[in-house]
Amino acid sequence: MNRAFNKTSLKHLTGLLQRFQSTLVVAEHNNEKLTPITLNAITAASKLGGEVSCLVAGTNCAKVVEQISKVQGVKKVLVAQHDSYKGAMPEELTPLILATQKQFSFTHICAGASAFGKNLLPRVAAKLDVAPVSDIIEIKSPDTFVRTIYAGNALSTVKCNEPVKIFTVRGTSFEAAPTEGGSAASEDVAASSHAGISEWLEQSLTKSDRPELTSAKVVVSGGRGLKSGDNFKLLYDLADKLNAAVGASRAAVDAGYVPNDMQVGQTGKIVAPELYIAVGISGAIQHLAGMKDSKTIVAINKDPEAPIFQVADYGLVADLFKAVPEMTEALNK
Amino acid sequence: MSGRVLVGVKRVIDYAVKIRVKPDNSGVVTDGVKHSMNPFCEIAVEEAVKLKEKNLIKEVVAVSCGPQQAQETIRTALAMGADRGIHVEVTGKDYDTLGPLQVSKILAVLAKKEDAQLVILGKQAIDDDCNQTGQMTAALLDWPQGTFASEVSLEGDKVKVVREIDGGLETIMINTPAVVTADLRLNTPRYATLPNIMKAKKKKIANVKPADLGVDLTSRLEVMRVDEPPQRQAGVKVETVDDLVGKLKEAGTI
């Protein structure tokens, strides 16, 4: 009887605690569109069980606020529009997040583990004197998270006893939240004073009609075996047939075949598509870290000893310069 | 700018080693395993030494936090051209729970103490893969940060940093003092030559304790367990392209 009572009251207490949880997701966007990884972060935030708010800070927020208000699971959208948020500099965004935190006392603050999230959240955490948790792949409970270490070769389960849990979310480990069906209210938050110690000058983005690498269903990647940047055309042709994004190994980037934002791996992008086709890639630990959660892996390599064959579902030992055009041709049929 | 650069270097399991998880799931086997300087830290050291060679700064100080063996990592930095080292001795249980928050507190105190104009770190350590220390150090100092740098140029009392971002590159200008974290493409680290390794033995490494710096090492992160990731099932080798395309179609993948 006593035990039963304790159990119910415990359950009640947990429910109560969860109700008191509140998560702030820092939205990533380009003043036009929400960056897709934010939707994965919202799903992760929803798993915590509490209320989810999103902070949209930028020079022009209206369109993004409209998008995010409809995202399922978002209760409230906090908006901070000011010219000082140009380039989303962490020196300017951190005081804003701290002020927002002071006002609403969130139990969790998170963002996608993209270049944006990785740049910003540790700065916020240090200001709050808490240890952040990077690139989580699973939420066990509101204070227990799973993340990979050693280039994905070990899984670490960490319990975070900080008063505020700050973490970044691996986009490929959580579904994207539906972009319809939500009806969040938006509310302006006061812009923080201009820190003025950093200035955004310019960006040069790689333009492409292909799907974005981290969210593509199919990825075709090339390595050193491609031998030149021109030869990457073979992969672009194949990718076009599959509506795939094109990635690369570090070797291909270092050799100058393709720009660095195409790099897949421990220090590049983490992808987990339905189909990953590795062409002329040996399969170093650092590359595998970025793609080994792909559903199906295909390797085309002339070296039968290449480590990539140990993780490939389908391996073809062949000269890529013959096999890739043949495959493109076969897909025409 | 003719100031001082502080470079943080970390001793990690060598990047080429296939790591093993301990049978009791408490961590990863480190005893008897080859260790080296974290590759991103090498790039940070190289950049600092280059700035000195261009006479843009006057002194490079290499710092590492950890047990006795951290001194080897500092020696490597000295052999690459750093002027002197600081070994912040952290051992035993404190070392087991040493994370970016604690290291950034140490670095922030040292940056002030040494009157550094620039702190250069790697963008991440290849063991914990955190990618936090530089950002946190900058925060604690209230300095601007230039993370994931692929190009750094000193322009008067400012630093121009080209950063590797998801869609390409971006250029920012930050005031000094500042914290910069190095991406892979910032430079190609030099090899330490034998004469330089010999010379490095004469360079000084100061030994300090976190307590001397007033840094509390308490951690509120607990590693509950470390597991092997799920292993992939062995696949099949196909003979021809048609075979491959057929199999993928059969599986409904394309």
Side-chain angles (χ1 to χ4, degrees):
Chain A
M1 171 78 192
N2 204 357
R3 191 186 281 171
F5 171 77
N6 277 340
K7 232 180 187 168
T8 359
S9 63
L10 202 70
K11 232 182 200 165
H12 182 68
L13 197 68
T14 328
L16 215 63
L17 278 175
Q18 286 191 344
R19 223 165 302 148
F20 286 137
Q21 270 175 49
S22 56
T23 304
L24 179 70
V25 179
V26 185
E28 179 179 354
H29 65 92
N30 63 1
N31 290 304
E32 276 289 323
K33 259 172 68 187
L34 192 64
T35 309
I37 197 169
T38 306
L39 297 171
N40 308 98
I42 290 170
T43 299
S46 306
K47 285 193 193 294
L48 293 164
E51 204 177 285
V52 177
S53 304
C54 280
L55 175 68
V56 180
T59 52
N60 201 347
C61 302
K63 279 188 189 163
V64 180
V65 170
E66 196 189 313
Q67 285 171 50
I68 214 164
S69 306
K70 294 188 202 139
V71 175
Q72 257 179 51
V74 180
K75 190 80 184 286
K76 192 160 55 181
V77 184
L78 303 169
V79 188
Q81 180 166 318
H82 197 275
D83 287 344
S84 61
Y85 302 137
K86 183 181 168 193
M89 303 297 280
E91 294 80 8
E92 304 296 340
L93 293 180
T94 302
L96 171 70
I97 297 170
L98 296 176
T100 313
Q101 172 61 12
K102 207 168 176 190
Q103 190 181 346
F104 297 97
S105 307
F106 297 103
T107 53
H108 296 75
I109 302 177
C110 72
S114 57
F116 165 83
K118 289 174 183 173
N119 189 33
L120 177 62
L121 285 205
R123 189 172 179 104
V124 174
K127 279 291 179 191
L128 292 168
D129 192 22
V130 304
V133 185
S134 292
D135 211 358
I136 62 155
I137 61 168
E138 193 186 334
I139 295 173
K140 293 256 188 205
S141 74
D143 63 3
T144 310
F145 309 97
V146 183
R147 59 184 302 270
T148 66
I149 52 175
Y150 290 94
N153 287 299
L155 304 177
S156 171
T157 305
V158 284
K159 185 160 181 284
C160 176
N161 299 312
E162 299 287 4
V164 187
K165 280 85 177 158
I166 299 192
F167 59 94
T168 55
V169 176
R170 180 170 298 182
T172 54
S173 297
F174 297 87
E175 294 288 317
T179 51
E180 294 293 334
S183 58
S186 68
E187 176 180 329
D188 285 342
V189 288
S192 47
S193 59
H194 188 53
I197 50 174
S198 60
E199 190 193 349
W200 183 88
L201 297 182
E202 58 171 3
Q203 63 180 20
S204 60
L205 299 183
T206 311
K207 286 206 177 69
S208 163
D209 299 332
R210 291 189 188 82
E212 202 268 319
L213 187 54
T214 51
S215 52
K217 292 255 183 296
V218 182
V219 173
V220 180
S221 275
R224 202 194 305 269
L226 266 295
K227 293 202 172 87
S228 79
D230 292 340
N231 290 335
F232 257 75
K233 179 158 189 319
L234 296 174
L235 300 193
Y236 296 140
D237 291 344
L238 176 61
D240 288 343
K241 285 279 168 289
L242 293 162
N243 189 31
V246 177
S249 70
R250 183 188 166 187
V253 175
D254 283 352
Y257 303 168
V258 291
N260 58 285
D261 56 295
M262 283 169 63
Q263 186 183 331
V264 170
Q266 181 184 20
T267 64
K269 295 206 170 76
I270 312 270
V271 301
E274 298 285 318
L275 174 62
Y276 188 90
I277 305 178
V279 181
I281 292 176
S282 64
I285 298 172
Q286 291 76 15
H287 185 74
L288 300 183
M291 45 65 80
K292 68 177 177 186
D293 289 329
S294 305
K295 203 141 172 234
T296 304
I297 298 174
V298 169
I300 302 176
N301 205 304
K302 66 178 178 197
D303 174 13
E305 302 301 319
I308 191 78
F309 286 121
Q310 289 162 23
V311 300
D313 299 284
Y314 303 105
L316 176 63
V317 181
D319 180 3
L320 71 92
F321 293 103
K322 265 194 183 148
V324 174
E326 262 183 56
M327 193 168 172
T328 310
E329 187 57 36
L331 291 168
N332 271 331
K333 286 179 206 159
Chain B
M1 198 172 85
S2 59
R4 184 172 287 132
V5 176
L6 207 64
V7 188
V9 290
K10 185 177 184 182
R11 178 177 178 268
V12 298
I13 292 183
D14 189 83
Y15 74 95
V17 171
K18 172 117 183 58
I19 58 122
R20 279 184 303 131
V21 171
K22 286 183 188 164
D24 68 354
N25 295 98
S26 63
V28 163
V29 178
T30 54
D31 287 343
V33 175
K34 186 186 177 197
H35 282 65
S36 315
M37 188 190 290
N38 178 42
F40 289 96
C41 302
E42 288 186 7
I43 297 169
V45 173
E46 175 68 30
E47 197 63 18
V49 172
K50 271 189 173 160
L51 291 175
K52 193 187 163 184
E53 287 169 346
K54 286 185 209 152
N55 285 321
L56 293 166
I57 53 138
K58 65 171 199 284
E59 192 182 29
V60 178
V61 183
V63 184
S64 192
C65 308
Q68 191 60 32
Q69 297 96 312
Q71 291 203 7
E72 296 161 18
T73 309
I74 297 174
R75 278 296 163 212
T76 308
L78 298 177
M80 287 174 73
D83 296 288
R84 61 186 167 91
I86 301 176
H87 173 213
V88 183
E89 200 176 337
V90 183
T91 52
K93 212 184 157 303
D94 281 344
Y95 180 59
D96 293 339
T97 60
L98 188 73
L101 180 60
Q102 292 76 30
V103 173
S104 58
K105 284 178 179 174
I106 291 169
L107 291 175
V109 173
L110 286 175
K112 283 273 183 210
K113 213 175 146 197
E114 296 286 340
D115 192 24
Q117 292 302 296
L118 207 54
V119 175
I120 309 183
L121 306 175
K123 78 160 177 180
Q124 76 189 60
I126 59 163
D127 52 358
D128 62 26
D129 282 335
C130 277
N131 195 332
Q132 298 171 348
T133 307
Q135 295 87 312
M136 296 178 84
T137 306
L140 295 172
L141 290 161
D142 270 319
W143 292 0
Q145 65 194 49
T147 52
F148 327 148
S150 63
E151 219 180 296
V152 172
S153 37
L154 300 185
E155 300 190 355
D157 57 355
K158 289 183 191 271
V159 193
K160 191 161 136 188
V161 181
V162 178
R163 304 181 57 232
E164 297 202 2
I165 56 169
D166 290 334
L169 298 169
E170 76 174 14
T171 310
I172 59 170
M173 187 73 99
I174 54 179
N175 291 3
T176 51
V179 177
V180 169
T181 71
D183 214 318
L184 277 176
R185 275 160 288 274
L186 183 58
N187 58 48
T188 309
R190 71 193 66 189
Y191 287 103
T193 58
L194 190 59
N196 285 342
I197 294 171
M198 298 313 286
K199 266 188 240 160
K201 291 190 175 165
K202 294 203 180 82
K203 294 182 181 173
K204 283 204 174 80
I205 299 179
N207 184 290
V208 295
K209 303 269 187 317
D212 304 337
L213 304 171
V215 175
D216 172 19
L217 293 181
T218 314
S219 167
R220 288 177 297 267
L221 280 188
E222 260 177 87
V223 174
M224 309 299 283
R225 55 181 294 131
V226 173
D227 294 277
E228 296 266 5
Q231 296 300 315
R232 286 191 80 99
Q233 294 291 321
V236 293
K237 288 248 170 81
V238 292
E239 293 300 322
T240 63
V241 168
D242 284 337
D243 205 5
L244 174 62
V245 173
K247 285 243 165 44
L248 290 174
K249 280 191 172 151
E250 218 172 280
T253 313
I254 54 174

